[in-house]
């Protein structure tokens, strides 16, 4: 049985399965001692999920399913409030925090849609790494090449593995510099970062209020679109776009230091789309020229995380991975002038991109320039820092642009997962998802 929303709804409609059976299968996979459930979840909701699934079966029998997600298992990231749970951000610094007294807005929307939230997923500490490595709570292994045990990508690491391993049909993650799209790409899934204002962040533990977004990880673009419609409250159907599409590229930036698998798979995807009639033109030189100085001065996330967590880290440095801690402590040296320059440079880059993308459908690029390295390598500080910098480089562009961005797989079967990333103009979210769905079909044929 295919583990995507459309297929499971077809099975339910035909009476070949029930929500209770689907959720039980997800829970069994999450609890399998030979699987990745222990490192994937911070908390499971087994009994509550079973009860919800049975209730949704009764509603479906009465023809009252609230959405295509009704009765299906979904996970939420450990930085999203669920009433009665501690929102720990998978960080020991927050283990003694008070439990949330209310649901995050996105949880309320999922509940209204009938989704069955089966648990809270593990993540990079405080969402401040693209690796997905967690020193204290374990790192779930990438589904590709489990013998080697590769990183899942982060920060929404458990979110990705919960979907690849059939513990959920979709997962809700957060994306400040790629944290939905990176694990989706490295694990062979689709992931979507919306324009920031479309999805509420109320009840989400902030990393950077300037950049944070909430978005879905799922097996298909269509599944991401279904979940996005629930999270955003926008039920507008995806547009049917005839093409041929016109894409901007930024290969001089996005392909720098790329490894061979990424270059090969990205090149093959571009050629496939070109044969289907797509047109490609590079962005003008210097499209992202401000990023180097932005990183050198210190980022929005550096500054905001220092203000929020810096005192706790200084008081209890042994309660956080030192590589995460050093990134947060970097924020104490950022001045008001640095912050203003970052805002000014961001505005210039956004305006330049919106002008350059006019008349084009999207920017197209590899989601990350490298495939997932082994988890064991990430115990080496230098290898961790190099991989983290490379993995974050491409997807962080969309966060700085406040632009919608989608990743979908472009690798061949049995190869290391490689993601193909689209970045559209601000508020072109549904159009971008529609384009992504057609690219997905083109690449599969």
């Amino acid at each position: 049985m295919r583990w995507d929303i459309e297929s499971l709804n077809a099975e339910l409609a035909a009476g070949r399965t029930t929500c209770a059976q689907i959720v039980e299968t997800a829970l069994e996979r999450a609890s399998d001692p030979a699987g990745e459930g222990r490192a994937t979840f911070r908390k499971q909701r087994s009994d509550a999920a079973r009860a919800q699934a049975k209730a949704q079966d009764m509603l479906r029998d009465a023809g009252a399913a609230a959405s295509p997600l009704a009765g299906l298992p979904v996970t939420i990231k450990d930085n999203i409030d669920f009433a009665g749970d501690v929102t720990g951000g998978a960080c020991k610094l927050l283990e003694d925090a008070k439990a949330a007294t209310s649901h995050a807005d996105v949880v309320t929307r999922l509940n209204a849609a009938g989704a069955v939230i089966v648990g809270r997923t593990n993540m990079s500490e405080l969402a401040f790494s693209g690796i997905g490595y967690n020193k204290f709570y374990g790192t779930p292994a990438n589904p590709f090449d489990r013998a080697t045990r590769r990183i899942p990508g982060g920060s929404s690491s458990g979110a990705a593995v919960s979907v690849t391993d059939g513990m959920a049909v979709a997962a809700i993650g957060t994306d400040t510099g790629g944290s939905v799209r990176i694990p989706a790409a490295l694990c062979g899934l689709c992931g979507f970062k919306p324009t920031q204002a479309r999805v509420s962040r109320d009840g989400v533990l902030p990393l950077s209020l300037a950049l944070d977004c909430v978005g879905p990880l799922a097996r298909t673009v269509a599944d991401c679109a279904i979940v996005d419609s629930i999270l955003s409250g926008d039920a507008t159907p995806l547009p049917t776009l005839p093409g041929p599409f016109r894409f901007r590229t930024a290969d001089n930036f996005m392909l720098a230091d790329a490894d061979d698998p990424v270059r090969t798979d990205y090149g093959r995807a571009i050629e496939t789309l070109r044969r289907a009639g797509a047109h490609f033109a590079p962005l003008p030189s210097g499209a992202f020229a401000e990023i180097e100085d932005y990183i050198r001065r210190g980022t929005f996330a550096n500054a905001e995380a220092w203000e929020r967590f810096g005192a706790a880290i200084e008081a209890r440095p042994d309660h956080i991975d030192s590589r995460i801690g050093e990134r947060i402590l970097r924020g104490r040296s950022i001045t008001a002038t640095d912050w203003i320059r970052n805002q000014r440079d961001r505005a210039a880059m956004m305006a330049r991109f919106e002008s350059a993308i006019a008349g084009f459908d999207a920017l197209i690029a590899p989601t990350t320039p490298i495939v997932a390295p082994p988890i064991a390598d990430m115990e080496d500080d230098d290898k961790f820092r190099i991989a983290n910098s490379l993995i974050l480089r491409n997807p962080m562009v969309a966060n700085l642009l406040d632009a919608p961005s989608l990743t979908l797989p472009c690798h061949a079967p049995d190869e290391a997962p490689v993601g193909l990333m689209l970045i559209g103009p601000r508020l072109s979210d549904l159009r971008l998802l529609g384009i992504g769905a057609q690219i997905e079909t083109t690449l599969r044929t």
Side-chain angles (χ1 to χ4, degrees):
M1 181 165 58
R2 285 172 53 87
W3 205 251
D4 61 78
I5 296 173
E6 180 181 6
S7 298
L8 290 176
N9 273 276
E11 294 292 309
L12 289 165
R16 290 188 288 267
T17 191
T18 65
C19 297
Q21 290 170 334
I22 292 169
V23 168
E24 191 62 39
T25 297
L27 294 173
E28 288 173 358
R29 290 167 175 166
S31 301
D32 182 354
E36 295 296 318
R38 175 185 287 274
T40 295
F41 286 91
R42 292 294 301 123
K43 180 178 181 178
Q44 295 184 39
R45 303 185 61 255
S46 302
D47 292 342
R50 291 186 179 101
Q52 285 181 275
K54 290 178 182 178
Q56 290 298 325
D57 276 326
M58 289 189 285
L59 289 171
R60 280 183 176 267
D61 288 344
S67 79
L69 207 55
L72 301 185
V74 175
T75 60
I76 61 171
K77 193 173 177 179
D78 196 43
N79 59 350
I80 298 173
D81 284 353
F82 191 98
D85 290 352
V86 171
T87 305
C91 183
K92 283 184 71 67
L93 287 173
L94 301 183
E95 278 188 338
D96 57 356
K98 293 181 180 179
T101 58
S102 60
H103 292 323
D105 284 355
V106 290
V107 171
T108 298
R109 288 187 176 276
L110 290 169
N111 286 339
V116 177
I117 298 175
V118 296
R120 306 175 63 84
T121 52
N122 198 5
M123 55 187 282
S124 302
E125 295 166 77
L126 303 177
F128 212 172
S129 162
I131 299 296
Y133 181 94
N134 193 299
K135 173 182 177 180
F136 295 97
Y137 304 125
T139 304
N142 192 305
F144 174 75
D145 188 13
R146 285 235 160 100
T148 301
R149 295 190 66 80
R150 297 176 181 273
I151 65 165
S155 62
S156 307
S157 53
V161 176
S162 74
V163 177
T164 62
D165 286 19
M167 306 171 195
V169 297
I172 310 304
T174 60
D175 192 309
T176 305
S179 288
V180 162
R181 291 160 293 147
I182 291 166
L186 295 184
C187 290
L189 297 172
C190 298
F192 181 62
K193 184 207 87 69
T195 303
Q196 189 184 55
R198 286 185 66 251
V199 177
S200 171
R201 294 166 292 147
D202 287 353
V204 176
L205 180 69
L207 175 58
S208 169
L209 293 175
L211 303 172
D212 294 343
C213 299
V214 181
L217 300 86
R219 291 189 178 275
T220 67
V221 176
D223 282 4
C224 283
I226 289 169
V227 179
D228 173 77
S229 72
I230 292 167
L231 299 183
S232 66
D234 185 353
T236 306
L238 290 188
T240 301
L241 305 169
F245 298 122
R246 291 172 52 82
F247 296 110
R248 284 291 199 180
T249 60
D251 292 351
N252 59 334
F253 181 91
M254 301 283 188
L255 272 179
D257 301 312
D259 59 22
D260 289 341
V262 170
R263 288 182 179 276
T264 297
D265 291 339
Y266 173 67
R268 183 168 54 208
I270 294 298
E271 187 55 36
T272 299
L273 295 173
R274 183 176 281 115
R275 289 197 301 269
H279 171 75
F280 300 89
L283 283 173
S285 177
F288 310 128
E290 292 84 358
I291 289 180
E292 183 177 354
D293 284 342
Y294 167 72
I295 293 172
R296 178 186 54 77
R297 284 191 293 260
T299 69
F300 294 121
N302 291 138
E304 293 190 61
W306 159 248
E307 186 276 331
R308 193 166 290 111
F309 305 115
I313 293 171
E314 289 186 324
R316 291 177 287 163
D318 56 333
H319 282 199
I320 191 167
D321 187 320
S322 61
R323 285 88 57 92
I324 305 296
E326 73 182 17
R327 297 187 74 203
I328 295 173
L329 296 180
R330 169 74 178 85
R332 64 185 161 192
S333 65
I334 297 173
T335 67
T337 299
D338 293 330
W339 181 272
I340 292 168
R341 286 174 176 168
N342 283 346
Q343 288 183 311
R344 184 178 61 209
D345 284 359
R346 182 189 189 192
M349 194 170 73
M350 291 171 70
R352 187 188 311 119
F353 178 78
E354 291 292 326
S355 176
I357 204 73
F360 291 82
D361 294 292
L363 170 68
I364 194 166
T367 310
T368 67
I370 60 173
V371 298
I375 293 172
D377 285 359
M378 298 301 98
E379 295 172 7
D380 179 282
D381 289 353
D382 288 339
K383 290 181 179 179
F384 180 98
R385 294 185 185 101
I386 291 169
N388 192 53
S389 177
L390 277 172
I391 283 170
L392 288 166
R393 185 195 65 204
N394 292 2
M396 71 180 287
V397 167
N399 300 84
L400 287 170
L401 296 173
D402 188 22
S405 183
L406 172 71
T407 183
L408 64 152
C410 67
H411 59 283
D414 301 321
E415 290 183 354
V418 172
L420 184 69
M421 181 172 66
L422 304 176
I423 301 176
R426 290 187 72 250
L427 297 172
S428 68
D429 298 56
L430 297 185
R431 179 176 173 80
L432 192 73
L433 285 163
I435 294 168
Q438 293 191 227
I439 291 175
E440 184 178 54
T441 299
T442 300
L443 296 182
R444 285 177 175 174
T445 56

